[in-house]
Amino acid sequence: MFKTQEDMSRGIAAAFAILDRWRLSQAEVNGVLGFPFGTQVAEWRRGELSSMPSDVVRRFGYVVAIYRVIQKLPTGIDWLRQPIPDLDNQSPLVRMSSGDVEDLRIVRDRFERILKRQQA
């Protein structure tokens, strides 16, 4: 996903900025990141990325992808906590913070589908 350590550092910092912009609680951030242990999230926020598992890097990639798609939708940040039919009437946040990386992919895919319908 990232070609260099510097690219990874910038990408992870951008993903944390997105999570902050979405005003997630620490519990929600932990769920999105797969429930990391102890002080790992604080270490990653400080740029200490050597202990970051590849699935967490993948999760950050999904966060950025979701953000890019929703920037094109007219719903604003309100979409995050509102149930939507394309997610079996669950909110994107509930799905994203379940701890399952596949739920992040599902949210991304659903928003891409919603965007395509709106552009058609």
Side-chain angles (χ1 to χ4, degrees):
M1 175 173 198
F2 298 105
K3 293 181 182 178
T4 67
Q5 186 69 24
E6 187 176 318
D7 287 345
M8 183 172 163
S9 294
R10 281 196 304 263
I12 299 305
F16 271 121
I18 291 166
L19 295 174
D20 292 342
R21 186 173 187 178
W22 288 344
R23 297 183 190 110
L24 303 188
S25 70
Q26 190 59 53
E28 291 164 336
V29 169
N30 288 345
V32 168
L33 299 181
F35 301 106
F37 297 104
T39 61
Q40 286 179 312
V41 173
E43 291 168 4
W44 299 335
R45 277 191 184 272
R46 290 191 305 266
E48 299 170 21
L49 307 178
S50 62
S51 67
M52 184 177 285
S54 61
D55 82 299
V56 175
V57 174
R58 187 170 158 214
R59 290 168 186 278
F60 277 118
Y62 283 132
V63 166
V64 172
I66 291 165
Y67 179 77
R68 286 182 179 156
V69 172
I70 65 165
Q71 290 298 96
K72 298 173 185 173
L73 295 171
T75 57
I77 199 168
D78 294 338
W79 68 269
L80 194 60
R81 298 181 191 279
Q82 295 178 0
I84 60 172
D86 282 33
L87 291 173
D88 300 324
N89 288 317
Q90 291 182 314
S91 74
L93 182 56
V94 166
R95 290 297 290 266
M96 290 169 36
S97 61
S98 73
D100 187 346
V101 70
E102 283 303 304
D103 281 330
L104 290 162
R105 183 193 58 77
I106 289 167
V107 169
R108 184 212 52 202
D109 291 351
R110 296 307 185 273
F111 277 109
E112 286 178 349
R113 203 165 52 211
I114 290 169
L115 180 62
K116 285 180 185 176
R117 280 196 309 243
Q118 288 186 357
Q119 292 175 338

